[in-house]
Amino acid sequence: MKHPTDMKRGPNDPGLENPGRRTMLLGSAGAMAAVSLLGFTPLARGEEPKTLPDYVAWKERNALILHSANTMETQRGAIGQGVITSSDRLFVRNNLPAPSEEIVADRDGWEVNIEGVKNPRALTIGELKTMGVTTVASVLQCSGNGRAFFPHGASGTQWSVGAAGCVMWTGVPLKTVVEALGGPVDGMKYITSTGGESLPDGIDPKTIMVERSVPLHALDTAMLAWEMNDEPLPLTHGGPLRMVVPGFYGVNNVKYVKNVAFTETQTDAKIQASGYRIRDVGKKGAPDQPSMWEMNVKSWVTAPLETARAGRNMIYGVAFGGTKSLDKVEVSTDGGQSWKQAQFLGPALGPYAWRPFVLAADLPAGEHRIVSKATDMVGNSQPEGRTENERGYGHNGWKDHGVTITVS
Amino acid sequence: MKHPTDMKRGPNDPGLENPGRRTMLLGSAGAMAAVSLLGFTPLARGEEPKTLPDYVAWKERNALILHSANTMETQRGAIGQGVITSSDRLFVRNNLPAPSEEIVADRDGWEVNIEGVKNPRALTIGELKTMGVTTVASVLQCSGNGRAFFPHGASGTQWSVGAAGCVMWTGVPLKTVVEALGGPVDGMKYITSTGGESLPDGIDPKTIMVERSVPLHALDTAMLAWEMNDEPLPLTHGGPLRMVVPGFYGVNNVKYVKNVAFTETQTDAKIQASGYRIRDVGKKGAPDQPSMWEMNVKSWVTAPLETARAGRNMIYGVAFGGTKSLDKVEVSTDGGQSWKQAQFLGPALGPYAWRPFVLAADLPAGEHRIVSKATDMVGNSQPEGRTENERGYGHNGWKDHGVTITVS
């Protein structure tokens, strides 16, 4: 029904309708130079190569839309109805080119510095593995998932729905590590993580480095993960070690993490200071704008996508509450005029995981607009529309995320 | 830590110590002729080919012990610490050679007859898919898992711990299908499922066919599954359609199921009438002996397996309660003299799923015997020893399932 090899991009993928959109990583001229220098060449329609770049060659090609060498989206039809996303179908979004495979040659030898604690020190993964372990299911989603639906042409990768997946992370709770080092220094308000990418010469590191700060309360759930889906964390997804902040947007889950600091203020790296901020269309990014931290409640339909036979059909999708468990998902087959409650499919894996859902619906011949709307345990529901914002972040409006199918 | 490619068979695998044991499928002379006719050639030690047979070529070779072309065990070191077993590491046990791949060419066209209901009829998978859907995590385990530990040389594949995995099944609840057909005919006591294997000429079909009966109460949980781990069910594991009875031993989960009948009595097929029965050593199988239906509570250690460094170590394993959720798992590092309670790792996926567990233990230099003991919610615990029985079924004694490691 949804095997990746059966899937192709359909008319409900907005990317097809907007082949000319800008797909640059960053907005400023300086950053555009960096993009070019780093080899980020956005792909236009029809340019998608048949094979994947080497560092993602193990992925299921047919499950992915290849936006660029560093951005790959899971086809809507390949998302499936599973509680966990298979690693080979999971989206890829790298802010910088991935480091060499050499960094996963000796996984246990990888070091991470822990700073801003009473007894700062470097710890190897080998040491972390003896300190404690937890396994948490969490949705990994790019802040710009759904960007393609913004009519103003938000710059960046034109993600539709597939810059998201739900995976199992295994690693040590950050709290366990920090407590062993005496706890955070008094007065610290953020956890600031730095990625292990190599930075090119000739560019101010602050404009390009991946360094993200999250509020201190994330210490209750953050982890340093060395496994994903019961396999050593692939380089592609940040191996050998990744900061995972369950329920937070992807960018906060810093890959190849080499430094974790408890800090009084947020980092002044561009990716934090002005990047990943909710700001009005046309406005520049600034530190006083909301940062892309906790994810909001969201859902979308995954099947059927284009056509269906008249009669009883099963409508499938996925839904999640960010940092809160879901209460319900409703589905409409008339574009939102009337709603029916869907059933959750499969076991609940905790507040940070997504839940596949299904609704049996009798569909007569004709065109139907199918939309879904999730509500979390404290009553947050998806809005109908978008919160318009310059970079097209955090879109969870149910209207844009629906699909139109032809029933015959 | 446990990537399949790092794994090799270790000294804790009893199969290594018993290379000469019989590995025939069935005990009688007639059945042995059938075995030969069907191409079941048990492999002796050192004979394991480097590649897998075609119908399982998609599996991770290094994760598996190849006992024969129809029996492959997951290496203890490749079981992992995941809540779900990756399909490519899952064990294989076919009672008969797998049918041709042709039967999965048109999955939705596969037909299953439903009999012993008020309105019997054949249904295609395409029809089943519109009737209802559920996703359930359940341990799949061969009745003979642990057979290699029996000292009397029980005939059959010499499974150690790896004829088990925990997978997600997606399909329609059998109850939904049966209710749509008017419900079972009054007085029916069993659900009898027949596999779609081709049977060779010249052998009484009853001696070789895969046809199993389970008690009617299994109707509350049984399902007709078309997906495993969010992919169309592979032929290797019974695709396009498999009867899945959560919490029941593997043999009851009939592959390529073509007939489901509600019956007054159990089938007289050999696999049910005398096969898969708990009987004293040396005794023949008979219908009045306990059948291999519900699984019992069980656990085993998966890491470390051979060696460890002195100091703090994380001891991992998996545990399940058959049809009941677990209360706890205890681990001993002194062969069962003293016990500590382990932590569960990752989310609980329901009563039929297994739960990975972990215990941090300080291990001084020397040899250590590590054992684990699970207890379910109603107080059933693993016994220390074996229930000796002719075919080596249902072994859940904690003593045999431990590992001896050298710490230095």
Side-chain angles (χ1 to χ4, degrees), chain A residues 6-7 19 24 33 43-44 55 94 117 133 151 202 225 242 260 308 326 346 370 389 407:
Chain A
D6 300 333
M7 296 300 139
M24 291 294 147
L43 299 163
Y55 80 108
N94 281 342
V117 292
V133 65
R242 185 166 187 175
V260 177
L326 287 181
I370 306 179
N389 70 96
V407 175

Side-chain angles (χ1 to χ4, degrees), chain A residues 287-369:
Chain A
D288 62 343
Q289 298 154 351
S291 191
M292 298 310 292
W293 285 332
E294 282 96 341
M295 296 191 288
N296 52 24
V297 62
K298 191 166 178 178
S299 71
W300 58 85
V301 167
T302 57
L305 294 183
E306 298 177 31
T307 59
R309 285 200 196 162
R312 185 175 156 101
N313 279 271
M314 304 304 252
I315 298 169
Y316 290 92
V318 292
F320 52 97
T323 58
K324 295 173 191 75
S325 292
L326 287 181
D327 174 35
K328 64 178 177 182
V329 178
E330 294 158 290
V331 170
S332 170
T333 58
D334 54 14
Q337 293 176 60
S338 64
W339 299 86
K340 283 188 180 162
Q341 192 165 332
Q343 278 182 283
F344 291 121
L345 189 60
L349 304 191
Y352 312 108
W354 75 21
R355 299 209 68 181
F357 63 83
V358 62
L359 177 77
D362 283 305
L363 298 178
E367 280 218 336
H368 298 271
R369 181 70 181 172

